[in-house]
Amino acid sequence: MKEKKGNFWIWGLHSVLSAVERRPEIISEIQFIDAEISDATRRRMDALLGNKHFQIQSVASLPRALDEHRCQGVAANIKYFPMFNESDLQNAFHNPEKINQWILLDGIEDPRNFGAILRSAAAFGVSGVIVGEKFQAPVNGVVSQASAGTCFSTPIYEITSTLKLPDLLNGPEVVLVGLDRAGRDVAQSISDLKSRHPKAQVIWVLGAEGKGIHSRLKQRVPNFVSIPMTNGVESLNASVAAGIVLYLGQGLTA
């Protein structure tokens, strides 16, 4: 595991409380506005914060950088964000706890899309989200808010380049499945994949907004699926598409 550069603010009850519950060691301080915190929320915060070793202070206003955000009266400063690395990823492939599905993000640059995808990944029990070092939105306050704090519980693996992923798959059977408009119907493809690869770990490959999957990576992805849509709708938001395939993909891991 490695520490990504931090020193950024997160805000909102779900984000802050999730960070406190899941990753208290990465928090440097918490600020809150008494008048904007409900009694029930305050009791929950007091219970969570009782044994934590970071600064907690009541303030008249939150940091100016957060003025335009809906902060719900609470914010936390993050020292760094922990990311798993390539070695961790290979170990996870070699030692699966169960039959799993993963998702590879091939350059998601919108932090709200990134956060929403992380939230779906957490909702549908995805084993991990894989990203590249470049052309990828970093984890920040916007990602944390959009993910409702699930960025602190969903394992995120960062590799030097998404093009390297096929070379890392030398463990148990792992199947790459790309989302592409020219692919087969996703529901039919999932049924076929399950019959052909009953014990596979499935990695859904999701391309960048507008650009899709990088052409060089696309050449190395053996399976492609598409989500049927009515005429006149060319594509779905990346996070919506991810949520659909992750939900349907639970059938692969049953």
Side-chain angles (χ1 to χ4, degrees):
M1 184 176 283
K2 55 186 175 182
E3 299 176 3
K4 296 295 289 185
K5 184 178 179 181
N7 192 29
F8 60 86
W9 287 94
I10 62 172
W11 58 88
L13 294 173
H14 288 300
S15 292
V16 173
L17 294 180
S18 180
V20 171
E21 289 177 318
R22 302 284 186 168
R23 296 287 185 182
E25 72 280 3
I26 71 175
I27 299 173
S28 61
E29 66 173 306
I30 289 179
Q31 296 184 8
F32 65 94
I33 302 173
D34 255 325
E36 296 185 20
I37 300 293
S38 70
D39 290 342
T41 298
R42 183 58 190 270
R43 286 194 295 272
R44 184 180 174 197
M45 286 181 59
D46 288 343
L48 287 172
L49 300 175
N51 299 314
K52 308 305 180 187
H53 302 290
F54 44 73
Q55 185 179 3
I56 306 163
Q57 57 180 327
S58 174
V59 295
S61 62
L62 295 174
R64 184 176 299 179
L66 305 180
D67 279 351
E68 296 184 8
H69 300 295
R70 296 178 181 177
C71 298
Q72 299 177 299
V74 62
N77 187 261
I78 302 300
K79 294 182 289 187
Y80 64 90
F81 188 84
M83 304 277 275
F84 291 99
N85 57 31
E86 292 177 3
S87 177
D88 298 321
L89 181 61
Q90 287 184 301
N91 288 336
F93 285 146
H94 277 282
N95 301 289
E97 295 181 1
K98 57 182 179 180
I99 300 173
N100 297 320
Q101 61 171 340
W102 302 69
I103 188 165
L104 168 70
L105 304 182
D106 188 29
I108 297 296
E109 298 179 331
D110 184 328
R112 294 199 178 279
N113 272 341
F114 186 22
I117 291 167
L118 291 172
R119 188 172 185 174
S120 292
F124 301 123
V126 171
S127 296
V129 176
I130 307 165
V131 300
E133 288 184 349
K134 298 180 179 180
F135 312 114
Q136 171 63 44
V139 176
N140 58 21
V142 176
V143 171
S144 176
Q145 183 191 46
S147 76
T150 58
C151 61
F152 299 108
S153 58
T154 303
I156 304 175
Y157 294 81
E158 186 180 69
I159 60 180
T160 53
S161 169
T162 56
L163 298 175
K164 285 188 64 177
L165 182 64
D167 298 322
L168 300 176
L169 308 182
N170 55 1
E173 187 175 15
V174 181
V175 179
L176 290 172
V177 184
L179 275 67
D180 188 84
R181 284 177 293 179
R184 298 180 59 201
D185 177 277
V186 62
Q188 295 176 8
S189 297
I190 284 175
S191 178
D192 290 345
L193 283 169
K194 189 170 184 178
S195 64
R196 289 188 287 118
H197 305 280
K199 296 183 179 181
Q201 298 185 77
V202 177
I203 302 177
W204 300 103
V205 182
L206 183 66
E209 301 97 336
K211 303 174 185 176
I213 301 170
H214 191 285
S215 59
R216 287 171 58 196
L217 177 59
K218 202 170 183 178
Q219 293 172 4
R220 304 186 66 184
V221 176
N223 308 283
F224 288 93
V225 298
S226 66
I227 299 170
M229 292 176 284
T230 58
N231 293 333
V233 179
E234 183 177 344
S235 63
L236 291 171
N237 173 278
S239 62
V240 173
I244 291 171
V245 296
L246 292 176
Y247 170 72
L248 293 174
Q250 293 178 113
L252 283 165
T253 62

